[in-house]
Amino acid sequence: MTSIGSERSELIPLLLAVQDEFGYVSEFAMQFIADQLKMPPTEVYGVATFFHFINKKPKGKFIIRLSRDMSSIMKGAKSVARQLRNDLGIRFGETTPDGMFTLEWTSCIGMNYQAPAMMVNNEVYSNLTPPMVHRIIEECRQEISIRRPTMGNVGETYASMLSYASHEPNAALTRAVREMAPADVIGELTVSGLKGRGGAGFPTGVKWNLAAKAESDLKYIICNADEGEPGTFKDRVILGKYADMVFEGMTLAGYAVGATEGILYLRYEYTHLRPHLEAVLETRRQARLLGENILDKDGFSFDIRIHMGAGAYVCGEETALIESLEGRRGEPRNRPPYPVEKGLHGRPTIVNNVETLATASCIVARGAKWFTGIGTERSKGFKLFSVSGDCARPGVYELPWGMTVQQLLELVDGVGAKAVQVGGYTGELVPASQFDRVMGYEDLGIGGSIIVYGQGRDMLEVAENYLEFFVEESCGQCTGCRIGNQKLLDGVRLLQKGTCSNRYLNDLIGLSHSIKSTSKCGLGQASPNVFIAINAHFQEEIMARPILAA
């Protein structure tokens, strides 16, 4: 077994290390870890059971996880699922009698534009078809003693050129260290108007300034790479192609606020990216872009480590992420205090997502004037969008703020759509009658996921898929979210059967607003959005369903 320290923050890495060695984390292992960390075993068990990718019982040598996000369902995930069941002779949630295969559904794995997709252990396969699935299974069976299955088709098909591609490596960090005081870096970002690209849209310069002013002998910079919003894959693309820019942005933040430690919190589904990211970090250390006296700047020391998530959508929320880093269940904290005041281990902490940090590097290198020359008066700069669903040209698009939904659909060849989901499952479902709405903070400035729904799509199937996800991913802290989302899911299923009365539907709409107003974090505050939207925009369609036979 791996060596064990004594800090609670080591708990989740230890659980994952034990799992890597033995295939799962037994109750004996939990007790042993609890003893070493001087924790009650019930707390270790509570953490282990919170995260989806920590196995509490033995599973197959090959764990197959098929993505069931809506983009995957639209592109044929159900036929792939049928092939998997037929080839393996088991249902989802089961393991073959010989212990070789476990078959599971999982949420979005960041491959929506090459859907359907699945993971075999930590390898990713995309653009799946039933014959391809059969070949993958046979390869696992035939070569099980030799090697793991070959890497699937994860080649990138960019739909637009990204500004990151023309960024001069480390130009921002070099300019900051040699020409700018820390306050000047913050000032450049403040003038640029850059807002957080993770969905919340908080001004980046303001956040960094608050952390800089906080008094502490230790501060942290966290890159939130827990890209779990279904339909979102832009951060995975950035990490795969432009990791240097992300680490440069983290180092800039460290210089600006006086932090010495950076942490990349990487979602478990992106485990396949870790070797690449570790290699980039080591190259930066060798080039004196990390470590002591960076770029020969006396006293400027900063380094970055990677921390793996263990599968919990709610950890995309910054305080839940911090709880996870500290070895606890990823449950959101009450705010205030905010992380910039009291974050990781009670110290001032900046949490920015992947795209925000890479964009900060661009801004400091080129200047705020360049960035403010793009976009609208209230929405400065450009934004990366993950586009998938019923369109001919899915992929990652860099677009200036200010485009309408209709203009975006023309760009991705999705004209004639029935509706568009903007901002992932927690975003807004926009019907065709509102395609003149603007992508920007003055209107639809949320997240970076665009899912296109064609005329033939059943909106109740969409709502069911969303609510199944929210029921599965709710941390359970808030009663309204824990129980209310299940009630909404039950209501959708009644509507599908044609047996939901108008009175009950109105009760569910009232419940939706209660869930939104009583939930602590963004999951519960946004999970009823889809139910409210289909009632507002597609009520005639959903109430006209024929009654299905029992």
Side-chain angles (χ1 to χ4, degrees):
M1 183 178 291
T2 186
S3 61
I4 293 183
S6 59
E7 297 295 326
R8 179 173 184 139
S9 59
E10 297 179 46
L11 174 56
I12 295 173
L14 284 170
L15 290 170
L16 291 175
V18 169
Q19 179 169 288
D20 286 344
E21 191 165 344
F22 299 103
Y24 75 111
V25 185
S26 66
E27 291 187 7
F28 173 80
M30 292 184 201
Q31 178 68 63
F32 181 77
I33 291 171
D35 291 343
Q36 297 300 310
L37 297 181
K38 297 180 173 57
M39 291 171 54
T42 53
E43 289 191 30
V44 175
Y45 182 81
V47 171
T49 55
F50 182 85
F51 294 95
H52 299 314
F53 289 105
I54 295 178
N55 305 328
K56 276 69 69 177
K57 61 181 180 180
K59 292 191 176 183
K61 185 175 183 66
F62 294 103
I63 302 175
I64 299 174
R65 297 182 172 101
L66 178 63
S67 184
R68 64 174 175 182
D69 60 277
M70 201 58 214
S71 295
S72 293
I73 297 297
M74 288 192 283
K75 296 301 182 181
K78 289 183 179 179
S79 63
V80 169
R82 183 166 54 249
Q83 185 68 46
L84 286 167
R85 289 195 301 267
N86 291 343
D87 271 2
L88 298 175
I90 56 174
R91 294 174 295 183
F92 279 80
E94 295 181 344
T95 298
T96 55
D98 61 4
M100 292 303 175
F101 295 95
T102 295
L103 181 59
E104 298 179 347
W105 287 108
T106 192
S107 59
C108 175
I109 61 173
M111 295 303 301
N112 313 77
Y113 67 126
Q114 294 184 7
M118 70 183 184
M119 298 169 62
V120 180
N121 295 339
N122 293 327
E123 306 291 349
V124 176
Y125 292 80
S126 62
N127 292 320
L128 294 170
T129 62
M132 184 187 301
V133 166
H134 178 74
R135 289 195 299 272
I136 293 169
I137 296 299
E138 288 305 305
E139 182 181 351
C140 291
R141 285 177 171 148
Q142 294 169 11
E143 303 185 11
I144 194 166
S145 63
I146 303 173
R147 59 182 174 87
R148 296 166 69 182
T150 54
M151 188 67 169
N153 176 17
V154 292
E156 308 299 353
T157 53
Y158 297 110
S160 69
M161 180 61 69
L162 306 185
S163 291
Y164 303 154
S166 59
H167 176 71
E168 183 181 344
N170 303 301
L173 184 59
T174 301
R175 180 187 175 212
V177 169
R178 295 178 179 170
E179 302 176 18
M180 306 170 75
D184 297 331
V185 175
I186 295 173
E188 193 86 62
L189 291 177
T190 302
V191 172
S192 76
L194 175 65
K195 295 182 179 180
R197 294 318 201 218
F202 191 82
T204 304
V206 173
K207 178 181 284 189
W208 288 21
N209 190 48
L210 289 169
K213 290 182 176 179
E215 295 185 4
S216 177
D217 60 341
L218 183 60
K219 300 178 183 180
Y220 297 98
I221 308 297
I222 297 174
C223 175
N224 183 347
D226 194 52
E227 185 180 46
E229 187 66 51
T232 310
F233 47 88
K234 61 183 178 61
D235 288 352
R236 183 190 59 76
V237 170
I238 296 170
L239 289 171
K241 290 289 184 179
Y242 307 107
D244 249 323
M245 290 187 65
V246 179
F247 294 140
E248 182 181 11
M250 294 178 70
T251 311
L252 278 173
Y255 177 73
V257 311
T260 57
E261 183 175 346
I263 302 166
L264 176 73
Y265 187 100
L266 186 65
R267 71 183 302 221
Y268 187 91
E269 292 89 335
Y270 293 172
T271 299
H272 61 279
L273 288 174
R274 184 168 187 172
H276 160 68
L277 296 172
E278 294 283 13
V280 173
L281 285 174
E282 186 55 34
T283 298
R284 294 186 68 82
R285 292 187 189 104
Q286 294 299 321
R288 303 199 64 178
L289 297 168
L290 287 173
E292 301 291 327
N293 301 322
I294 293 173
L295 290 176
D296 297 321
K297 180 76 170 181
D298 288 342
F300 177 29
S301 300
F302 185 80
D303 210 339
I304 298 170
R305 63 181 173 88
I306 297 175
H307 179 100
M308 295 304 303
Y313 167 75
V314 73
C315 285
E317 194 277 335
E318 62 180 7
T319 63
L321 183 154
I322 290 171
E323 286 287 295
S324 172
L325 280 171
E326 292 182 349
R328 296 181 173 84
R329 294 164 63 90
E331 296 174 342
R333 296 175 176 177
N334 291 319
R335 294 182 292 183
Y338 294 92
V340 289
E341 307 166 286
K342 189 177 181 181
L344 182 62
H345 305 310
R347 307 300 181 94
T349 303
I350 284 177
V351 183
N352 281 134
N353 92 314
V354 170
E355 184 187 352
T356 306
L357 291 161
T359 304
S361 296
C362 278
I363 292 170
V364 174
R366 303 186 191 189
K369 186 177 181 180
W370 161 76
F371 193 71
T372 58
I374 307 169
T376 70
E377 182 62 30
R378 291 181 57 189
S379 304
K380 303 296 185 184
F382 59 82
K383 177 79 182 71
L384 268 61
F385 293 94
S386 308
V387 183
S388 64
D390 291 323
C391 61
R393 301 182 66 229
V396 176
Y397 286 79
E398 179 188 301
L399 303 173
W401 284 125
M403 292 188 71
T404 65
V405 175
Q406 180 63 34
Q407 288 173 320
L408 185 145
L409 287 172
E410 292 170 0
L411 186 64
V412 305
D413 200 1
V415 175
K418 181 179 190 176
V420 173
Q421 184 73 31
V422 180
Y425 283 17
T426 56
E428 188 167 352
L429 185 67
V430 181
S433 62
Q434 297 180 11
F435 283 175
D436 59 345
R437 293 182 64 181
V438 172
M439 314 290 290
Y441 291 107
E442 53 266 55
D443 190 359
L444 291 171
I446 46 179
S449 168
I450 303 291
I451 306 174
V452 182
Y453 295 116
Q455 288 295 330
R457 294 301 167 192
D458 181 348
M459 300 316 293
L460 282 177
E461 182 183 19
V462 173
E464 181 183 34
N465 183 274
Y466 286 23
L467 287 166
E468 286 176 340
F469 173 80
F470 290 128
V471 168
E472 176 70 19
E473 295 294 342
S474 174
C475 75
Q477 272 195 98
C478 306
T479 303
C481 180
R482 183 180 68 251
I483 298 176
N485 283 317
Q486 182 62 56
K487 293 292 185 183
L488 295 183
L489 178 57
D490 293 342
V492 165
R493 289 170 175 165
L494 288 177
L495 286 166
Q496 288 176 315
K497 295 177 181 178
T499 57
C500 182
S501 68
N502 274 308
R503 180 176 179 178
Y504 187 54
L505 178 60
N506 290 333
D507 288 343
L508 291 172
I509 294 299
L511 173 62
S512 297
H513 292 292
S514 295
I515 296 170
K516 288 172 67 70
S517 63
T518 59
S519 294
K520 181 184 294 186
C521 81
L523 188 153
Q525 292 164 10
S527 57
N529 286 353
V530 66
F531 193 88
I532 295 171
I534 64 167
N535 179 68
H537 305 306
F538 303 103
Q539 188 177 79
E540 182 176 341
E541 172 186 327
I542 65 176
M543 293 304 291
R545 309 263 297 204
I547 297 176
L548 300 181

